[in-house]
Amino acid sequence: DVKVTQSSRYLVKRTGEKVFLECVQDMDHENMFWYRQDPGLGLRLIYFSYDVKMKEKGDIPEGYSVSREKKERFSLILESASTNQTSMYLCASSSQNQQGGYEQYFGPGTRLTVT
Amino acid sequence: QKEVEQNSGPLSVPEGAIASLNCTYSDRGSQSFFWYRQYSGKSPELIMSIYSNGDKEDGRFTAQLNKASQYVSLLIRDSQPSDSATYLCAVNVNNFNKFYFGSGTKLNVKP
């Protein structure tokens, strides 16, 4: 079974703090993703990575950065946390399957509250 | 126009009934189709994948795909209260980064 783990289930930070969210997958997947999910807005893609040290902006990258130094690990960084970054953060990984499609598997999520 | 459209619900069905969840998509290049189940406060869990027109059955779940109509559905037979969750439809255009999610349909199964 694919396993994606995230460093924290719940996190409370203060405005202006630098926040690190860690994600690790154990299936040797090439692609990793960071989403945030908010009520009424659905899943929104922040950043993704298709290889070590490679990253691409998603739909809402402002205020975030990422790091992928190893294939299994993808980190999301909030440079200076703000209250509007209070959200559920979801990490996912994917790899091409036999049918040519890409299935995404999610970690358990991190509920971040910025006060 | 959104890439993937779902009725937000809630869809309420009695225990033991068939729940029918529907999804339409806009990109005719879409090749892979998925259903995720998400319990409140939890992350999405992949429950069904379908790649060709027709039906695909897995236990109480049946996914149906009609590419000509750009329509995907999920049927849940013998619905149980434990099936109460939000169901997300997702499509992939066979490119790792072209993966689009619907906003989800909330299903309530009443005992």
Side-chain angles (χ1 to χ4, degrees):
Chain A
D1 280 351
V2 175
K3 189 157 187 183
V4 182
T5 57
Q6 294 183 230
S7 51
S8 305
R9 290 300 309 276
Y10 301 94
L11 208 53
V12 180
K13 295 291 183 181
R14 292 192 180 276
T15 301
E17 279 193 87
K18 192 168 186 176
V19 181
F20 293 87
L21 302 182
E22 300 280 330
C23 175
V24 178
Q25 51 95 3
D26 68 355
M27 285 300 294
D28 202 34
H29 284 175
E30 297 88 8
N31 313 308
M32 298 187 74
F33 306 81
W34 276 105
Y35 295 89
R36 63 177 285 178
Q37 187 176 35
D38 302 286
L41 296 176
L43 283 161
R44 292 183 291 168
L45 181 64
I46 304 172
Y47 266 97
F48 63 94
S49 169
Y50 53 90
D51 202 351
V52 174
K53 297 192 185 295
M54 306 305 290
K55 59 187 179 184
E56 294 285 346
K57 293 180 180 179
D59 300 319
I60 52 162
E62 295 78 20
Y64 304 94
S65 62
V66 291
S67 172
R68 193 164 181 202
E69 297 297 319
K70 293 185 178 181
K71 189 175 185 179
E72 68 270 18
R73 189 179 298 269
F74 192 34
S75 302
L76 180 69
I77 303 149
L78 285 67
E79 298 292 341
S80 177
S82 63
T83 54
N84 63 12
Q85 292 179 309
T86 291
S87 186
M88 169 73 101
Y89 288 88
L90 293 161
C91 176
S93 72
S94 78
S95 187
Q96 194 167 26
N97 58 29
Q98 291 180 346
Q99 289 82 13
Y102 290 85
E103 299 170 342
Q104 287 199 5
Y105 297 91
F106 286 88
T110 296
R111 175 76 64 183
L112 173 66
T113 301
V114 182
T115 61
Chain B
Q1 182 187 5
K2 290 184 178 179
E3 299 284 349
V4 180
E5 300 267 11
Q6 293 182 257
N7 188 318
S8 62
L11 173 67
S12 292
V13 299
E15 184 175 355
I18 296 175
S20 178
L21 304 164
N22 304 313
C23 168
T24 58
Y25 60 94
S26 61
D27 192 331
R28 287 196 171 273
S30 300
Q31 296 290 326
S32 307
F33 306 87
F34 309 95
W35 284 99
Y36 288 81
R37 177 177 62 200
Q38 187 173 23
Y39 293 114
S40 180
K42 304 294 186 182
S43 63
E45 175 193 7
L46 179 63
I47 57 172
M48 289 288 284
S49 307
I50 187 166
Y51 303 96
S52 55
N53 279 328
D55 295 359
K56 179 182 177 182
E57 187 173 318
D58 183 0
R60 295 186 296 111
F61 299 97
T62 299
Q64 299 175 318
L65 173 61
N66 183 326
K67 289 186 178 180
S69 300
Q70 295 176 251
Y71 179 91
V72 192
S73 65
L74 179 70
L75 301 178
I76 306 175
R77 290 183 300 281
D78 187 24
S79 295
Q80 301 296 309
S82 59
D83 295 325
S84 297
T86 296
Y87 289 81
L88 303 175
C89 175
V91 303
N92 174 236
V93 193
N94 272 7
N95 186 316
F96 73 92
N97 64 335
K98 291 191 182 297
F99 205 99
Y100 305 108
F101 288 90
S103 56
T105 298
K106 186 170 184 178
L107 173 66
N108 291 328
V109 181
K110 298 180 178 180

